[in-house]
Amino acid sequence: MEYIVYEQKGQYAILTVSREKALNALNSAVLEELNAALDGVDLDEVRCLIVTGAGPKSFVAGADIGEMSTLTKAEGEAFGKKGNDVFRRLETFPIPVIAAVNGFALGGGCELAMSCDIRICSENAVFGQPETGLGITPGFGGTQRLARLVGPGMAKQMIYTARNIKAQEAYRIGLVNAVYPQEELLPAAEKMAAGIAKNAPIAVRSCKKAINGGLDLSMDEALVLEEKLFGGCFETEDQKYGMAFFLDKNKEKVKEPFQNR
Ligand code: CAA
């Protein structure tokens, strides 16, 4: 692949968008490779995915403005669908995805981060949806996910004004969970990924399904979804082992890694 670097490190993996000369901007080829990279994730081994950008300056500086500049209406819509399809795939990917936002996360970059389950960033990160300044709307899910994450009032302010925000403000409004010095960002993401990977994989996947699925339902329907996923954990080896380990007073407390998925 030309624009995606994928590295598996035991039970988690790091996917790096790597088009540094354009600040990792997303052209069609990058989106296609991102999709292909997801095809290549070994879900029998990998339990958490980290998404980051190459270099010290940018996570992803948006969709490629050069490529978009000549699109027709139909092509623009198709380009939006291409981005939406791959970001939705990431959002519904069976395992948790952590965005380690290492710099500019503008337009499609902010949208990529918002498609991940968890966002953490470096102190130099900058978030924003600058599209109205370019004569377009956010097109890879920004109008939908930003409002869901930070509330409609804040999302509308950011989108209508096209004003970028720095890491600390992104933290204040709940767009990211934590801010780290640049050199500590990836280690922090890896530590979190390893922490997720050591928990029971069926349970972790089911939690993702319950939270994501439940947000699209009424509370009554969402609780039924939770009951089904909760029930689905029982009789798995992980549930039997996890609970037996807790209840067994005699055996030495050395927990083995959960095996099932
Ligand atoms: N598309 C294409 N190329 C881009 C790009 C983008 N989104 N962002 C940066 N680049 C390119 C620049 O053109 C430049 O290329 P050259 O060296 O060939 O001139 C290179 O990356 C470095 O960028 P700058 O020289 O501009 O770097 P800077 O440090 O001065 O500024 C920046 C950094 C503030 C991020 C600035 O590059 C910028 O504003 N980029 C555009 C950000 C943006 O508007 N993103 C939203 C795109 S629209 C979108 O994403 C729609 C959607 O929802 C799907």
Side-chain angles (χ1 to χ4, degrees), residues 19-23 25 57 61-66 68 79 104 106-109 111 129-131 134 136-140 164:
R19 191 187 170 214
E20 221 178 314
K21 69 176 172 41
L23 301 183
K57 192 171 163 182
D64 190 290
I65 298 170
M68 286 187 295
F79 187 59
F104 292 115
L106 302 175
E111 292 165 314
Q129 298 289 163
E131 287 87 349
L134 293 163
I136 55 173
T137 63
F140 293 168
N164 295 338

Side-chain angles (χ1 to χ4, degrees), residues 90-106:
L90 197 60
E91 184 171 48
T92 57
F93 209 54
I95 55 174
V97 184
I98 301 168
V101 179
N102 57 308
F104 292 115
L106 302 175

